[in-house]
Every structure is written in structure tokens, then in C-alpha cells.
Amino acid sequence: MTSDRGDTKAPEEAYVWIWLPGETAPVVAGRIAPDGKRLIFNYGQSYLNRNDRIPIYEPELPLRSGAIAPEAGLSMAGCLRDASPDAWGRRVILNRTFGHKGKDVHTAALDELIYLLQSGSDRIGALDFQHSPSEYVPRAVQAATLEELLSAAEKVENGVLLTPDLDQALYHGTSVGGARPKAMIQDDDTKLIAKFSSSTDTYNVVKAEYVAMRLAARAGLNVAPVRLAQVAGQDVLLVERFDRAKTKDDWTRKAMVSALTLFGLDEMMARYASYEVLAEIIRYRFTTPKATLHELYGRLVFNILCGNTDDHARNHAGFWDGEHLTLTPAYDICPQSRSGNVASQAMLIVGGNRTSTLATCLEAAPNFQLDEKAAKDIIARQIDTIRNAWDDICEEAALTEVERNLFGQRIFLNDFIFEGTAEGLW
């Protein structure tokens, strides 16, 4: 068993707890344990005997007795890996384990079970990991202000060991995905993810994401609500969580799986992920497939229009209710700075083409059950929205003139995206 801080010994097992649909307390679902370099999962018999049981995710972890090995090429089931911390959370755990040396320690220095068992319990989705199969002990958040959390995030980036209070406060956000500094907070009946600037930022990434998310919502896309806060002279993006719902007594949790899990891929193979395959999965496995395909197409178009080339497979996800998948609201629409005009998306768009142009989007339109006219209408509508709402959203974000010029001339509606496209679109 690992200690709360500083132990690098790999655990022998971990127990997977799940919040079933509509429930406010978790139940133990099964156990994961290492088998060489893989983590093998077993459902508990008590869980299989429940009338309200659901598979953690099917077809990956079907409801059956016995050991379930990860699919070929995976070290653990993707639906479990979705609940494990990503780059930022691992940096926080490395900081608490190795102190000032943590900044330079490779994430492979700690076992995957350590990351599962030492990350915060209020993780994305409906899973948590525990040492015990019978007693659930949440790794709870230490109350902290946004200013304290911002300070803690800066210290982690600089390799400074946190005080116990700050460590506990930031620890709550270790189970959130992504590479950028962040933390989780609660504001009355709303749970939020707070995203901070990074010391490596070369432009105001926080405001750029705010502008993109707000414009996406204006364009009619299903997007997580966001707002901006000023903390110690710095901008902080607050994103409402859509995997939690407040009840009279407590919170329910919605199970989620990433597109990477839907593809059956791990991070090392993510370059093979594609919108074309995701569209096929949606056609066969998602609720309201046609409307979902049109929504996904709109997100693809908007990513290109706003310069978000970081649309990798962990930035798409579906809710899972035990039988059906439903597309989650869009999140992490974060425009990326580019040194030149030429750009490509993180996911393939059609065939082997990932070029960040509207011409590529038009070529892909049939995969989303859209004819050329319907696809062009979506593109034109989004371009009009960006242009018409630009000044309002820039005012909301209090962009400086320099930021407006950078975002408006280099990132949003970059000239390259129009190459090879008929003039009528713009």
C-alpha cells in the first residue's frame, strides 16, 4: 500500500468503485492488478449479483466473471485509463512525491496504480480507485481560494514543493485530464474546472480558449459554459462540469469514455484516430446518430475556423449509461498559436488527410450524412457568427488591442483555412 505522500512502491492492486446512474454514493465494481506490464480487471461477484449493475464500458469490460485483459496494444482498459490523471495531474503527484526534483522526473518513475490511487477522487466521469473493496474513503479537497490554487500551480510548474495545505488543495485536480495547470472548485451548486495560464505560454491561452468557447456556443454548438475570473492579476478560465448533477442531498456522476477509448487506442497510437472512424462509431452506437453527426461536423469546422489544432481523441467523449453512448458537450476548444499559415488537425479528417482547411471539411461531409450544400451552409453560418459576434466576445474577454490583432489575424479565420475552397464560402 502506498502512503499519502512520497511512497514510490508500486501497489499490488486497486479496487474500482463506480457511481451507478442516478446514485449519489459509489459501489465497488471490481479489482485491477498487474500482470507483467498490463493491468487485469475482474468484476466482483457482489457487483455482478446487483440488479442495477452496468458494464463499466462495453464491449471493453463486459459483465462477466473472470479476468478481463486489456485489448491488444493496451496496457489497461481504456475506460479505466480515462479516469487516470494525464500530464498535469501526474506532474502534481510527482511534485508531492519527489519535491523539487519532481519537475525533472519522468512520469514513468511511478507505477500506473500509484497515479490511480493518489489522484483526487472527484475525477472526471463516474469512477474512483481505492485500496479497499469494502470501505470507500474519498481523497477529498482541502478548501482553498482561486488565488491559493493559482499560486500552487505556479509552484508545481517551477518544481517547488508545496506546503501540506496547498498540496491537498491542488491535489483535488490531479484527476482532470490535459497538460495545462488546472484545479477543481465548487461554486454553490456548480462544479467547475479552473484553468490557469502556464509559464510557457507565448500568448494569452486562457482568453483565447474563452473566446473560442463563447463563439462556439454562439454558433449553436453544444458547449460547456465558461466564464473568466481575474485572480492576482492573472486570467483564469472557469469551465462548468457536465459530468455532475446536484441533487437535494449530494451529487450524481455521469460515466464518460473518451474517443480514444472508443477507437481502442492508447496515447502512443493516437495519431491514427480519425473523425471518419468516429463518425462511423456514432452511426452505429450513439443515440440520435444523425443529429450527433451534424454536431460533430460543426465542431470539426469550428476547430478549423478558430485554429484549434489540438482536437485529439481525448478532447472528444461520450456519456455512457450502461447501454448507450451520447456525445458530451464540447470542451477544450483551445486555439493554438502557429508560426506559419500551414496547419493540420490532431485527428485525421478524411482518409489520410488532416490538413486544416475548409476544403478538407467539405471532402469529409458525406461521412457526417451531409451533402455539399448543407456542409457549406454550416461553414458559412459559423464564419458569419464569428465575424458578427467578434467584437462582443472580445469585449467580454477584455482583450487588449494586441490580443485582438493576434487572435483575429493569426489564429481565428487564418487565411490558410480557405485554400482550395470556393470563394462563395467567405
Side-chain angles (χ1 to χ4, degrees):
M1 180 180 293
T2 60
S3 65
D4 287 338
R5 185 165 185 161
D7 195 340
T8 61
K9 183 180 179 182
E12 295 181 358
E13 62 187 7
Y15 291 90
V16 182
W17 290 65
I18 186 171
W19 277 255
L20 292 168
E23 298 297 324
T24 58
V27 296
V28 66
R31 169 182 178 269
I32 48 174
D35 175 26
K37 294 183 178 180
R38 303 183 304 168
L39 288 175
I40 306 297
F41 177 79
N42 283 78
Y43 280 108
Q45 196 58 47
S46 63
Y47 184 76
L48 292 175
N49 290 338
R50 296 181 65 95
N51 292 328
D52 58 352
R53 69 196 185 281
I54 65 169
I56 293 176
Y57 172 61
E58 211 165 33
E60 193 173 43
L61 294 181
L63 287 169
R64 63 174 174 82
S65 299
I68 305 176
E71 297 291 333
L74 302 181
S75 60
M76 64 186 298
C79 58
L80 301 180
R81 175 61 182 86
D82 284 340
S84 186
D86 281 338
W88 170 250
R90 291 173 191 242
R91 287 184 66 181
V92 176
I93 293 170
L94 289 171
N95 178 279
R96 71 181 348 231
T97 304
F98 296 103
H100 69 278
K101 297 179 181 178
K103 183 180 179 182
D104 301 314
V105 174
H106 193 277
T107 55
L110 295 180
D111 183 81
E112 189 65 33
L113 285 180
I114 292 178
Y115 287 121
L116 293 175
L117 289 166
Q118 291 197 15
S119 47
S121 289
D122 197 11
R123 65 189 74 239
I124 299 298
L127 300 179
D128 194 20
F129 303 88
Q130 296 278 306
H131 291 289
S132 170
S134 56
E135 182 184 12
Y136 180 76
V137 182
R139 295 176 290 282
V141 62
Q142 175 88 15
T145 65
L146 269 175
E147 189 167 355
E148 289 170 329
L149 290 167
L150 175 62
S151 173
E154 290 173 342
K155 285 181 169 61
V156 168
E157 282 206 300
N158 293 321
V160 177
L161 183 64
L162 301 179
T163 64
D165 284 349
L166 282 181
D167 175 76
Q168 278 299 110
L170 198 62
Y171 178 56
H172 189 48
T174 53
S175 50
V176 186
R180 296 186 56 78
K182 58 182 65 67
M184 293 190 190
I185 62 171
Q186 184 172 329
D187 181 14
D188 295 327
D189 289 345
T190 305
K191 292 203 172 192
L192 303 154
I193 297 172
K195 295 186 172 184
F196 308 117
S197 59
S198 169
S199 60
T200 60
D201 288 345
T202 57
Y203 63 105
N204 196 322
V205 176
V206 169
K207 283 189 175 180
E209 184 169 357
Y210 173 84
V211 170
M213 294 283 282
R214 291 286 293 121
L215 285 171
R218 286 279 191 102
L221 297 176
N222 182 14
V223 181
V226 295
R227 59 183 189 261
L228 276 175
Q230 270 277 320
V231 180
Q234 295 193 41
D235 298 300
V236 178
L237 180 69
L238 302 177
V239 185
E240 288 190 23
R241 293 183 64 175
F242 44 73
D243 62 334
R244 297 291 183 268
K246 187 73 168 68
T247 68
K248 183 177 67 174
D249 303 316
D250 210 333
W251 296 84
T252 62
R253 305 190 179 196
K254 291 186 176 181
M256 288 171 52
V257 289
S258 71
L260 199 64
T261 292
L262 299 180
F263 294 137
L265 301 173
D266 68 2
E267 278 78 7
M268 298 301 293
M269 303 296 285
R271 64 186 181 279
Y272 297 111
S274 77
Y275 282 98
E276 192 169 7
V277 174
L278 182 54
E280 184 176 0
I281 293 170
I282 287 171
R283 284 198 296 273
Y284 289 102
R285 301 202 57 206
F286 274 64
T287 57
T288 60
K290 187 172 183 178
T292 302
L293 287 169
H294 293 178
E295 169 73 18
L296 181 63
Y297 187 77
R299 295 183 190 185
L300 164 61
V301 169
F302 190 82
N303 282 334
I304 287 175
L305 294 177
C306 79
N308 175 31
T309 54
D310 192 36
D311 56 342
H312 57 78
R314 284 208 183 280
N315 281 343
H316 301 275
F319 292 123
W320 168 250
D321 65 5
E323 294 184 36
H324 307 103
L325 290 158
T326 304
L327 194 66
T328 72
Y331 55 95
D332 278 351
I333 304 177
C334 190
Q336 308 293 306
S337 181
R338 56 177 83 177
S339 55
N341 283 335
V342 177
S344 58
Q345 299 304 116
M347 290 211 319
L348 294 164
I349 299 173
V350 56
N353 189 357
R354 64 176 83 240
T355 309
S356 305
T357 64
L358 297 174
T360 312
C361 289
L362 289 174
E363 183 184 350
N367 294 325
F368 298 84
Q369 296 185 3
L370 291 163
D371 60 25
E372 184 178 10
K373 181 182 183 305
K376 284 184 174 180
D377 286 346
I378 289 171
I379 293 170
R381 188 164 58 248
Q382 289 195 10
I383 292 173
D384 286 344
T385 297
I386 291 172
R387 288 177 172 159
N388 294 333
W390 181 255
D391 288 339
D392 288 345
I393 303 300
C394 288
E395 285 294 325
E396 284 182 14
L399 293 187
T400 66
E401 185 175 353
V402 171
E403 288 168 341
R404 279 197 192 210
N405 290 337
L406 171 64
F407 295 172
Q409 296 174 13
R410 294 290 302 153
I411 299 178
F412 290 80
L413 302 183
N414 184 284
D415 287 344
F416 175 72
I417 69 174
F418 296 104
E419 289 195 4
T421 308
E423 291 185 6
L425 277 179
W426 72 95

